[in-house]
Amino acid sequence: MGVTIEPWLREILRCPVCRNELVDASGPAGPELQCAGDCEEPDRRRAYRIDDGIPVLLAEEARVFQV
């Protein structure tokens, strides 16, 4: 993926909407962090982009997707 987030930071990052763990993934625009659990509705999750190694954990800028 090419993006490295410090291990101590990875341990504390959570989805700002549902507080589930975030996992590394690759989305349509590149590396991102995806919520590991459902957000607000069944089978609906959020993905947060990573800009220059910094996760953008803003719910209004998240990509919502179905699993």
Side-chain angles (χ1 to χ4, degrees):
M1 237 181 278
V3 175
T4 303
I5 298 175
E6 294 289 330
W8 65 268
L9 181 57
R10 285 295 292 120
E11 289 182 26
I12 61 173
L13 289 178
R14 296 289 180 261
C15 175
V17 176
C18 63
R19 303 289 184 231
N20 282 316
E21 181 181 0
L22 295 171
V23 295
D24 294 311
S26 183
E32 62 187 17
L33 294 175
Q34 292 182 355
C35 184
D38 296 342
C39 282
E40 298 179 318
E41 295 178 21
D43 299 327
R44 181 178 174 183
R45 297 186 183 183
R46 286 182 166 74
Y48 301 91
R49 73 179 188 278
I50 300 173
D51 290 345
D52 297 321
I54 301 169
V56 180
L57 299 179
L58 300 171
E60 59 273 5
E61 293 191 25
R63 179 176 67 85
V64 178
F65 64 99
Q66 298 288 100
V67 291

